[in-house]
Amino acid sequence: MNKKLSPEDAFYENLTLGLIRTLSNVPRVCNVTLERRQPLNACQVVNWEQRHCVYLPEDMKKFYLSSDGFILNWSYQYAPNDIRRVGHIHFPHLLQVTLLRENIETTASHSSNSTVLPTSNSDSLGAASSSQSLPASVASGKDKWGNATPIITAKSKIFEINNVNEVAKVCMLYESTSSNNPKFYLLELGTLSWQFLADTFSEYLRMAIAHLGLPYWELCFSTCGLPSWTEQLFLLLAPHLLEEHEQRRGRVLNPACEHPYNIIDPNIFRGKPKSVAKAVTSSTKQNHNK
């Protein structure tokens, strides 16, 4: 008989789409832990938006009003006395979602595959002449997988979500400050090239879960590829994610019978049940009295 989940356990079970339970049943995977965080209040979210002069997308706002990010870790047992922490999913505190420090226009102008809009007629002529010498894929503004690369202007804003092994950064990119529909890209630091990841925050969260938090999973979508030791883990635990024609390569994320994906329901992004909040408050008071 299955043990009934507490309201808080059920909340995180829904938030991670059952990943914790799934990992716990995988051979050699152990020490599955989830760092639980308190939700933000509406004022904290608004303060972040006002500080950066952008609006968070609705699904991302609901996420942070439910939990101020989370960290999920798991270990793999390579041998009886050799257990190493390898799995990692990190969604930062909202305050840690900050503007990319590099100058946007400098990043864009040196990027091999981003589209930079000219600001004057002379710039337009220069851009036109330089594009003639670029490969077709670059000149047409396409990434490795044929997805459109970002159009970056002086009004664009780029926020860092995660740093991937000092090789790439996961970025949330607003093409203009008037937009409230940012997209998620992988910025490769070696070449300053962009690889498309997701249209929405919910899709990026779902991708992290579908890849089981395997180390550096975002590099599956890069031109440099995965480190060899990481690739070995993929082959052991999720070999289908490395298939050349695996569905996510073409950004087709609809469920398929051979690779069933959980579809995230925005309704799970809700405030924690009042009973949980009361329990936390009473626990805090008891500890204080001690």
Side-chain angles (χ1 to χ4, degrees), residues 102-111 116-117 119 152-155:
E102 292 84 358
N103 180 275
I104 291 176
E105 291 180 319
T106 302
T107 302
S109 63
H110 286 82
S111 174
V116 186
L117 294 185
T119 56
I152 298 176
T153 69
K155 293 183 178 180

Side-chain angles (χ1 to χ4, degrees), residues 232-285:
Q232 290 300 314
L233 273 175
F234 270 79
L235 291 171
L236 282 169
L237 301 177
H240 70 277
L241 295 176
L242 296 181
E243 292 176 10
E244 183 178 353
H245 300 293
E246 207 279 326
Q247 285 189 320
R248 266 160 297 228
R249 299 295 186 265
R251 314 308 309 137
V252 179
L253 289 169
N254 293 325
C257 55
E258 64 271 24
H259 300 312
Y261 300 111
N262 287 318
I263 299 301
I264 199 163
D265 180 2
N267 291 324
I268 69 169
F269 296 129
R270 64 188 187 282
K272 291 183 180 177
K274 292 182 179 179
S275 60
V276 176
K278 289 179 180 178
V280 171
T281 304
S282 60
S283 175
T284 304
K285 288 182 178 178

Side-chain angles (χ1 to χ4, degrees), residues 33-212:
T33 60
L34 177 70
E35 180 184 305
R36 304 183 179 192
R37 296 174 178 172
Q38 291 299 304
L40 297 180
N41 58 50
C43 288
Q44 291 170 304
V45 173
V46 170
N47 286 341
W48 185 94
E49 292 176 324
Q50 290 177 341
R51 183 182 305 117
H52 297 293
C53 300
V54 295
Y55 289 105
L56 283 175
E58 196 61 29
D59 58 347
M60 191 172 181
K61 185 181 297 185
K62 289 179 178 177
F63 171 83
Y64 278 103
L65 290 173
S66 301
S67 178
D68 188 16
F70 70 85
I71 298 176
L72 188 148
N73 293 316
W74 54 268
S75 301
Y76 189 77
Q77 185 178 17
Y78 288 87
N81 297 317
D82 185 9
I83 297 176
R84 306 178 196 176
R85 201 202 79 179
V86 291
H88 184 69
I89 296 178
H90 176 219
F91 282 85
H93 295 285
L94 183 58
L95 284 176
Q96 294 174 326
V97 178
T98 54
L99 278 169
L100 202 61
R101 293 307 175 191
E102 292 84 358
N103 180 275
I104 291 176
E105 291 180 319
T106 302
T107 302
S109 63
H110 286 82
S111 174
S112 63
N113 68 344
S114 61
T115 301
V116 186
L117 294 185
T119 56
S120 67
N121 290 335
S122 60
D123 290 339
S124 179
L125 291 172
S129 61
S130 63
S131 66
Q132 294 175 0
S133 61
L134 293 174
S137 61
V138 174
S140 61
K142 301 289 186 181
D143 67 9
K144 178 182 177 181
W145 308 104
N147 302 296
T149 52
I151 298 174
I152 298 176
T153 69
K155 293 183 178 180
S156 300
K157 288 202 171 186
I158 304 172
F159 294 88
E160 181 178 341
I161 303 296
N162 271 319
N163 187 312
V164 186
N165 196 31
E166 302 298 332
V167 172
K169 293 179 185 290
V170 176
C171 298
M172 177 173 65
L173 190 147
Y174 290 80
E175 290 190 353
S176 72
T177 52
S178 60
S179 168
N180 65 342
N181 185 32
K183 297 182 187 296
F184 291 78
Y185 292 89
L186 188 70
L187 174 60
E188 297 185 34
L189 301 180
T191 59
L192 291 180
S193 60
W194 299 90
Q195 308 299 332
F196 175 73
L197 286 178
D199 272 314
T200 64
F201 175 80
S202 294
E203 185 181 331
Y204 174 62
L205 171 60
R206 185 169 70 236
M207 289 173 69
I209 293 170
H211 285 81
L212 308 179

Side-chain angles (χ1 to χ4, degrees), residues 206-222:
R206 185 169 70 236
M207 289 173 69
I209 293 170
H211 285 81
L212 308 179
L214 283 160
Y216 315 137
W217 66 265
E218 295 95 339
L219 296 183
C220 286
F221 301 91
S222 70

